[in-house]
Amino acid sequence: MPQKSIQEPILKRGVSTTYQEIENAKANVVRCFENFYIIEGVMGSVAGGISIYAGLAPSLPVYFEKHDTTLSISWDVEKLLSRVARVPNFLILAHRLSLLSPYTVDTIFEGVQLLTERSTLIYSPNGLNFHYPTHLDYESDVKFESPEIELIERLHSYFNHISNLGLRSATEISGGIDSAITAYFSSIHYNDNLSLGLLISDELGTQQIQRRNQLVDTLGFRDYSIHIEEFPPLIPLLEGQRIRYRDEFYLKGFERLWSEAKSRGCDSITNGQGGDELFYIQREQMGSTSNASRPLPNYLSTRANLAASIDSVFFAPPGLMARTVYNGFGVQSREIVRLGLWPIQPFTMPRIVAPCKRLNSSYSSKKQVLKVFLQKKASI
């Protein structure tokens, strides 16, 4: 029987590949990571197009914009915003000002859109198509009787996989429980342990520094830390100064830490981002519930109140994590990637988050399951 020939797509100014290579890449990526994007050529009659698939928890956002016959794609929204003047999306602005934090393909910039988790974007000669995903049961494989044990097992498995990739990662340690857990697993799975710290010298910060020092000493990290006072934020006060979209209070200090890690040969940054939302997920935050019963703030105009009260049918389907977590992907990660590093964030991985939804209140309250584990293993 003659073998079926495989058409190889030709992507203008892009990458051409074969169908089997795509399928192999998909299998490997899905098995290894949950935070991925796959970009592939579209086969057959629509050759010359492109498809993008988002993973369960993309570490970086992907923004896209169609202009005439061109599709622009970037994880850095500034690159899209710098092209032409933008009109604000009033509906999304109204929802954000009402503190609803919508998670949707639409952004506050008209025409600039976001590839949400598990969604698909297809651009071909037939036009641009975006598809939200169907519902997914993230918790179906969680052992009901012992989710606290499974949580720890999955953390071990995740860090073991990262170490097998041969990455050299620096670990951010603040002194809080989230970074303490990532520090513990980093110390037993990574070969070359570099810790990074941004220190704050107030009363609460002093307590954090003490806990942090104990962690660093106990777990055997080589430490590099700086004081936030040395890196004040740049606030444009003079007339005519342009406020950058990505300005953030602590960003200058973090950029110094990440640059130091890069100079020491690291290729990734491990941190505890997402830990604050690990056990506190409100299902009504997730998607298609009505906002009619929710009191709206009194600072919005009548028109904005009306827009914000519209049912959130245009939100992405419910995911495992709160919309605030999904919206937060890439806020700091974008700056990490600008330096040629990759963010490693275990507490945003669905396989690690899922067991936390099954914990009883005695374990989930104040992250008790993590505190008990750390005290037992590291005597901290």
Side-chain angles (χ1 to χ4, degrees), residues 165-192:
L165 293 177
L167 300 177
R168 292 192 63 192
S169 188
T171 304
E172 294 178 4
I173 303 179
S174 66
I177 185 62
D178 305 323
S179 70
I181 288 291
T182 59
Y184 170 77
F185 284 101
S186 296
S187 70
I188 62 176
H189 287 285
Y190 294 172
N191 294 323
D192 186 17

Side-chain angles (χ1 to χ4, degrees), residues 14 27 35 51 62 149 162 186 216 246 248 256 259 272 277 280 308 314 354-355 361:
N35 55 330
S51 295
V62 165
I149 296 175
I162 294 297
S186 296
V216 169
R246 63 189 182 95
E248 187 182 335
R256 183 67 192 89
S259 296
E277 295 88 358
Y280 181 68
F314 61 91
S361 58

Side-chain angles (χ1 to χ4, degrees), residues 250-291:
Y250 292 136
L251 194 54
K252 292 299 178 185
F254 276 115
E255 284 180 345
R256 183 67 192 89
L257 293 178
W258 301 328
S259 296
E260 179 67 22
K262 180 70 174 179
S263 70
R264 297 193 187 192
C266 293
D267 49 29
S268 55
I269 301 292
T270 301
N271 61 38
Q273 183 173 329
D276 288 339
E277 295 88 358
L278 197 60
F279 304 107
Y280 181 68
I281 304 296
Q282 291 181 309
R283 287 291 175 183
E284 62 270 23
Q285 278 192 21
M286 299 308 213
S288 59
T289 55
S290 172
N291 301 326

Side-chain angles (χ1 to χ4, degrees), residues 60-63 73-77 79 330 333-335 337-338:
L60 279 173
V62 165
Y63 298 95
I73 306 169
S74 179
W75 49 264
D76 190 344
V77 72
K79 293 189 179 300
S333 300
R334 182 173 62 244
E335 310 307 323
V337 175
R338 283 175 188 267

Side-chain angles (χ1 to χ4, degrees), residues 295-362:
L296 293 170
N298 57 15
Y299 51 75
L300 295 181
S301 67
T302 302
R303 184 183 173 199
N305 270 317
L306 178 61
S309 65
I310 295 174
D311 284 356
S312 52
V313 292
F314 61 91
F315 288 6
L320 178 65
M321 292 170 279
R323 294 197 304 265
T324 51
V325 178
Y326 290 124
N327 284 327
F329 284 132
V331 173
Q332 283 194 347
S333 300
R334 182 173 62 244
E335 310 307 323
I336 295 175
V337 175
R338 283 175 188 267
L339 295 171
L341 300 163
W342 185 253
I344 297 175
Q345 301 159 339
F347 293 136
T348 64
M349 295 295 99
R351 277 186 56 78
I352 291 174
V353 177
C356 300
K357 308 302 110 191
R358 294 283 183 88
L359 292 171
N360 62 43
S361 58
S362 63

Side-chain angles (χ1 to χ4, degrees), residues 25-251:
K26 267 189 189 179
N28 288 332
V29 170
V30 171
R31 184 168 58 249
C32 294
F33 284 107
E34 293 169 316
N35 55 330
F36 67 89
Y37 291 101
I38 297 177
I39 301 178
E40 69 179 40
V42 181
M43 305 296 110
S45 60
V46 291
I50 191 170
S51 295
I52 309 177
Y53 304 88
L56 295 172
S59 289
L60 279 173
V62 165
Y63 298 95
F64 62 94
E65 175 189 35
K66 183 180 179 296
H67 182 70
D68 294 332
T69 59
T70 302
L71 177 67
S72 299
I73 306 169
S74 179
W75 49 264
D76 190 344
V77 72
E78 279 190 282
K79 293 189 179 300
L80 300 183
L81 298 179
S82 62
R83 293 160 57 96
V84 294
R86 299 291 164 184
V87 176
N89 185 321
F90 182 79
L91 181 61
I92 299 299
L93 278 175
H95 276 270
R96 289 205 178 279
L97 289 172
S98 66
L99 306 181
L100 284 173
S101 299
Y103 183 56
T104 169
V105 63
D106 296 312
T107 70
I108 61 174
F109 308 106
E110 198 69 54
V112 176
Q113 296 181 294
L114 171 69
L115 195 66
T116 58
E117 61 99 28
R118 295 185 297 117
S119 60
T120 304
L121 176 68
I122 301 175
Y123 183 53
S124 72
N126 297 327
L128 181 67
N129 290 292
F130 176 87
H131 301 283
Y132 277 138
T134 56
H135 175 73
L136 178 65
D137 186 0
Y138 296 87
E139 304 171 38
S140 59
D141 63 341
V142 177
K143 299 173 184 176
F144 183 79
E145 65 277 7
S146 55
E148 68 281 2
I149 296 175
E150 186 153 359
L151 169 61
I152 301 303
E153 289 177 349
R154 291 187 179 194
L155 280 166
H156 271 295
S157 176
Y158 176 80
F159 277 88
N160 183 59
H161 168 68
I162 294 297
S163 66
N164 288 338
L165 293 177
L167 300 177
R168 292 192 63 192
S169 188
T171 304
E172 294 178 4
I173 303 179
S174 66
I177 185 62
D178 305 323
S179 70
I181 288 291
T182 59
Y184 170 77
F185 284 101
S186 296
S187 70
I188 62 176
H189 287 285
Y190 294 172
N191 294 323
D192 186 17
N193 289 316
L194 170 65
S195 58
L196 306 174
L198 191 61
L199 311 181
I200 303 175
S201 300
D202 57 15
E203 182 177 351
L204 180 60
T206 300
Q207 297 174 7
Q208 290 270 88
I209 290 172
Q210 292 173 349
R211 289 197 298 270
R212 184 182 183 280
N213 290 341
Q214 185 181 2
L215 270 169
V216 169
D217 292 341
T218 302
L219 300 177
F221 279 92
R222 296 180 298 106
D223 190 48
Y224 176 79
S225 57
I226 57 176
H227 285 269
I228 187 59
E229 291 86 351
E230 301 172 16
F231 299 88
L234 298 177
I235 303 176
L237 298 177
L238 299 178
E239 185 177 353
Q241 280 188 294
R242 180 173 174 266
I243 299 178
R244 296 193 307 167
Y245 175 72
R246 63 189 182 95
D247 282 346
E248 187 182 335
F249 185 74
Y250 292 136
L251 194 54

